[in-house]
Amino acid sequence: MLEEGGYLRFYELKGNTVVPPLGSKVFKTADPDWIESEQTKAEGQSSHEQTKASFQIEGISCIGCVWLIEAIFNESKGKIAIKIDSSSNILELCWHTGEFSLVSFVEKLQRIGYQISPLSEHAQPTKVTSQIEALIGLAGFFLLNTMLFTLPTYLGMSESFFLSPLFQLLSAFFATLSFAICGGYFIKRAIFALQRKVLHIDFPIAAGLVAAYCGSLVGWALGYSSLLYFDFVATFIFLMLVGRWVQEFAIERNHSHLQKHFHGPGEVTLIGGHEDGATVQASDVKRGQSYSIPPGAINPVAAHLLDQEAALSLEWINGEPEPLDWEKGAIVPAGSINVSSGSLRLKADESWGDSLLAELLKPDESAITDNRIQGILKTYLSLVMILSLLGGSFWFLVGSDALKALQVFISILIVSCPCALGVALPLCDQIALGRLRKMGLFVKNPLLWGALRRVKTIVFDKTGTLTMEVPRLKNPDIFENLSPQALKATYILSKKNTHPVARSILQSILAHKASLSNTLSLDQQATKETIGKGVLWFDQNGNEWTLGKPVWKAKTDEIMDQSANASLRYNGALVANFFIQEDLRDDAREVVNFFHQQNFATAILSGDRGERVYPIADNLKIPRPSVRSECDPYEKARWIEEEAFESALMIGDGANDSLAFKSAICRGTPVVDRNILEASSDFFFFGRSLKTLPNLFGIAKQRHQTIRNVFLAAISYNCIAITICLSGHMHPLLAAILMPLSSIATLLIAWTGLGQNSSRDLF
């Protein structure tokens, strides 16, 4: 489709960026009603010939996506301007009133995987980095002015020079502004953490700032130049803010990627009563309410089926992808997936808060805690305070010079700055996260790194994790032998069918005959589904086409192929058989073998039947004692607690994996069409391959080694700097030189240790 539209530059701009699979989103049709309503509303509120409106957009992964959306808009009649904020997923459009077709534009985007929806009240850009960016700009301004009026003194300007007092005053003034406006960021956060009895990295930063500034005021008031650290204050604040921006930027960037793909338990449409037609969040469903869910949606609560029959998959509950047939009045369990071709009507038998799905998706309160950083900070602060007090006391007792003793005390607090923690560590994280992002893996929890070092067992779910969500068609070449009418019938019969077999056929036929998707004016006669059997369609000549179970509509004398999963028939005559098999993710064997070579144990915990699970395990050479089939959520969690306590990494994608997630020390999930475990995962990844998992461990190992080198360099610097302070020879100019040099050195170590190309990855 991109080739036919002349949009191949998308691939040049995309480069090597790993983008999420589009899945079944491209097969869904946009709802024209709300789109037309939004356009009418926007144009009605506009008093000019131009109309502006904002929407949310899903599916943006790279600069190529932004270019592609803009290119499609710029070819639309009546267009004026477009603005895309990829960080907040907000799309702003401006068009000539009455000339632009919003429906046409949205449908074009839908066909290539981008979804437009009304603007959410929560869709606002994050403010943390923008706040720090403003502070960095001010801190840089104050730093340059502070140095401007301090350098003349360092370059030989005597105190008797008539401008010397003015220069000192201006230096103190700009340093004070930097301390009050920019340094307050760290001081407030340190006080906030102490009030909650938490020792935060901002505390040693704030302590050094307060000591340097107060000492500078004393030195300025008493004319004691050895205590004038105004330039140090301005420099230190600027560097720490830059380090903090790097850290927050990495967190926000990964969080924005998560928001693009996480949609919660979804929405339902209420039916009956005064709320008929209203759309509400699944979490707002109450007992006794009647509602409907569209094809492919998840049923949020246990409910009675109001329709005569339905096809539902319990894949999320027991791991078995094969749909089951349900009759009117049956209780449909929470977490079941509607694989019927139309919407289903249900009556809630319970409220969302009482449902099994709500219980399984309840957030885990026992988050990973980083006690090591707390221990390092306590040890660091204790040593610095002891050395400062001892050094100051020694000089006061030996030299009987209070100002000299104060200088030694303050200089130790100043030069022993936590640059390794405040600047180099955020850079290490940003480089590591950036490399993982290029591979399609996004870290949500910054405390994941420590947990990975404790992992000894890799636990996999099967369906959707080791295997792809949609099975693979074994005989895709069959489309080359079908007539144009048979191809058209196959496309129509499978297009709106959410059954796994139909989805596999649809994806395969479009992969071989992509031009079918451009035929929007296909026969509008609706297909008719017979639950448990298949889908039927009559062409313009009244001929009957069916796609379903091989025995459905078959002639009595036909010899059946018992291994076929579905058959296409023309007036009952067999046209084609389709054979389906589960599709292992790319590199699954190599990844499992890698973990075995690295002495990790591997296991499969699946709710699927044994005949589906054990062949996969044997193929991957995972030992049978570590393989469990027909597991419910509680059995998965129990296995991890008994066999891999405090040492398991869980990879899963369904609600039946949620309790196992809580039992594991870290957890990850692949991004698929219907995955709501991103909220409780520590990382998520895109694509067909599992190779990002070994790379995660490889980069985590490099990060650990790099951070160790950073700390060794920081310890060496602090030993040298504190020794100079204790000897009484630490001058403000020397401190202003040493501190930036130490920061640059730790940054270079971080860059050389992690900023290499991906050839250093373990996999």
Side-chain angles (χ1 to χ4, degrees), residues 578-638:
F578 299 100
F579 303 88
I580 308 295
Q581 71 176 19
E582 286 194 289
D583 192 11
L584 268 178
R585 284 184 176 270
D586 296 347
D587 306 315
R589 298 181 187 85
E590 291 82 353
V591 167
V592 172
N593 184 55
F594 166 85
F595 284 130
H596 290 164
Q597 292 176 351
Q598 298 296 317
N599 298 319
F600 287 100
T602 56
I604 297 178
L605 303 179
S606 175
D608 207 349
R609 299 190 302 273
E611 59 265 28
R612 293 177 179 269
V613 177
Y614 290 111
I616 295 291
D618 294 341
N619 192 348
L620 298 176
K621 297 182 180 180
I622 296 178
R624 285 289 183 99
S626 298
V627 180
R628 295 289 186 274
S629 62
E630 301 183 48
C631 289
D632 62 31
Y634 301 96
E635 290 172 333
K636 289 187 177 186
R638 191 181 308 118

Side-chain angles (χ1 to χ4, degrees), residues 65-75 82-84 105:
C65 296
V66 175
W67 175 86
L68 181 58
I69 295 167
E70 290 179 346
I72 293 174
F73 176 79
N74 289 330
E75 292 181 355
I82 181 173
K83 180 181 178 182
I84 302 173
F105 175 64

Side-chain angles (χ1 to χ4, degrees), residues 314-506:
L314 304 183
E315 177 183 338
W316 267 23
I317 300 173
N318 57 20
E320 294 193 17
E322 189 67 27
L324 300 176
D325 302 334
W326 301 75
E327 296 181 351
K328 183 176 181 179
I331 296 180
V332 176
S336 55
I337 301 170
N338 177 17
V339 294
S340 304
S341 59
S343 296
L344 293 182
R345 298 179 302 136
L346 303 132
K347 184 176 182 180
D349 196 48
E350 61 186 357
S351 298
W352 166 258
D354 301 323
S355 73
L356 173 64
L357 188 61
E359 176 65 25
L360 293 177
L361 299 180
K362 187 179 297 182
D364 185 11
E365 301 297 337
S366 58
I368 305 172
T369 56
D370 198 355
N371 295 321
R372 295 182 63 195
I373 292 294
Q374 290 287 307
I376 292 172
L377 281 175
K378 288 178 181 178
T379 303
Y380 165 81
L381 290 174
S382 299
L383 287 174
V384 169
M385 291 304 299
I386 290 173
L387 288 173
S388 299
L389 290 171
L390 289 177
S393 300
F394 174 80
W395 277 94
F396 181 77
L397 294 174
V398 173
S400 299
D401 187 345
L403 287 178
K404 188 66 175 180
L406 181 62
Q407 179 210 346
V408 171
F409 174 78
I410 292 177
S411 65
I412 293 176
L413 290 177
I414 291 173
V415 299
S416 58
C417 67
C419 295
L421 292 174
V423 180
L425 285 188
L427 180 63
C428 287
D429 287 342
Q430 171 66 354
I431 296 173
L433 294 175
R435 289 177 62 188
L436 289 171
R437 275 196 300 269
K438 291 181 179 179
M439 302 171 190
L441 187 145
F442 299 82
V443 175
K444 280 182 53 198
N445 189 344
L447 303 180
L448 169 69
W449 305 110
L452 284 175
R453 299 192 62 216
R454 296 155 50 199
V455 171
K456 297 179 181 177
T457 303
I458 315 295
V459 181
F460 295 97
D461 176 41
K462 180 186 72 70
T463 306
T465 304
L466 284 173
T467 62
M468 297 299 294
E469 186 188 30
V470 178
R472 180 171 62 88
L473 186 64
K474 294 170 63 177
N475 59 329
D477 294 339
I478 194 170
F479 298 122
E480 302 296 335
N481 301 321
L482 293 182
S483 66
Q485 183 68 4
L487 284 171
K488 178 179 177 180
T490 306
Y491 175 66
I492 292 174
L493 289 166
S494 60
K495 186 176 187 299
K496 295 184 179 181
N497 196 331
T498 55
H499 191 287
V501 174
R503 293 173 68 192
S504 178
I505 293 173
L506 179 61

Side-chain angles (χ1 to χ4, degrees), residues 105-126:
F105 175 64
V106 171
E107 286 180 344
K108 288 180 181 179
L109 295 185
Q110 179 82 39
R111 290 176 56 223
I112 52 176
Y114 304 106
Q115 291 183 295
I116 306 296
S117 59
L119 187 64
S120 168
E121 60 181 4
H122 303 295
Q124 296 297 331
T126 181

Side-chain angles (χ1 to χ4, degrees), residues 72-298:
I72 293 174
F73 176 79
N74 289 330
E75 292 181 355
S76 304
K77 180 182 178 182
K79 52 85 179 175
I80 295 179
I82 181 173
K83 180 181 178 182
I84 302 173
D85 187 342
S86 59
S87 64
S88 57
N89 305 326
I90 294 179
L91 173 70
E92 297 180 5
L93 302 177
C94 179
W95 66 83
H96 291 291
T97 304
E99 298 182 21
F100 177 73
S101 173
L102 185 60
V103 172
S104 176
F105 175 64
V106 171
E107 286 180 344
K108 288 180 181 179
L109 295 185
Q110 179 82 39
R111 290 176 56 223
I112 52 176
Y114 304 106
Q115 291 183 295
I116 306 296
S117 59
L119 187 64
S120 168
E121 60 181 4
H122 303 295
Q124 296 297 331
T126 181
K127 300 295 184 181
V128 178
T129 50
S130 58
Q131 176 192 3
I132 299 177
E133 287 168 2
L135 291 175
I136 289 175
L138 289 172
F141 172 76
F142 296 142
L143 169 60
L144 291 174
N145 281 276
T146 303
M147 295 303 296
L148 176 66
F149 297 108
T150 304
L151 279 176
T153 302
Y154 293 148
L155 297 176
M157 183 182 70
S158 66
E159 294 184 4
S160 60
F161 185 63
F162 76 100
L163 289 179
S164 179
L166 177 61
F167 279 19
Q168 286 189 2
L169 175 63
L170 291 173
S171 176
F173 173 72
F174 285 109
T176 300
L177 290 177
S178 181
F179 176 78
I181 298 175
C182 305
Y185 173 85
F186 298 103
I187 297 172
K188 290 176 183 178
R189 290 169 59 91
I191 294 174
F192 182 82
L194 288 176
Q195 289 174 341
R196 284 151 182 78
K197 299 180 180 180
V198 176
L199 196 59
H200 194 266
I201 180 61
D202 289 332
F203 180 77
I205 295 175
L209 284 175
V210 172
Y213 181 73
C214 292
S216 299
L217 290 179
V218 173
W220 183 40
L222 300 178
Y224 191 72
S225 60
S226 295
L227 280 175
L228 293 178
Y229 288 99
F230 288 125
D231 53 336
F232 175 89
V233 170
T235 304
F236 188 43
I237 291 173
F238 177 78
L239 289 175
M240 291 300 102
L241 283 173
V242 170
R244 184 58 48 86
W245 179 87
V246 170
Q247 185 179 39
E248 293 294 341
F249 177 78
I251 294 173
E252 289 179 3
R253 188 169 182 180
N254 282 339
H255 183 66
S256 70
H257 278 281
L258 172 66
Q259 288 181 320
K260 293 176 184 179
H261 304 283
F262 173 63
H263 310 289
E267 297 178 334
V268 300
T269 302
L270 300 180
I271 55 177
H274 66 280
E275 295 182 316
D276 185 49
T279 300
V280 299
Q281 291 294 322
S283 54
D284 294 330
V285 173
K286 303 292 191 298
R287 177 185 174 91
Q289 283 184 324
S290 296
Y291 60 92
S292 67
I293 57 174
I298 304 160

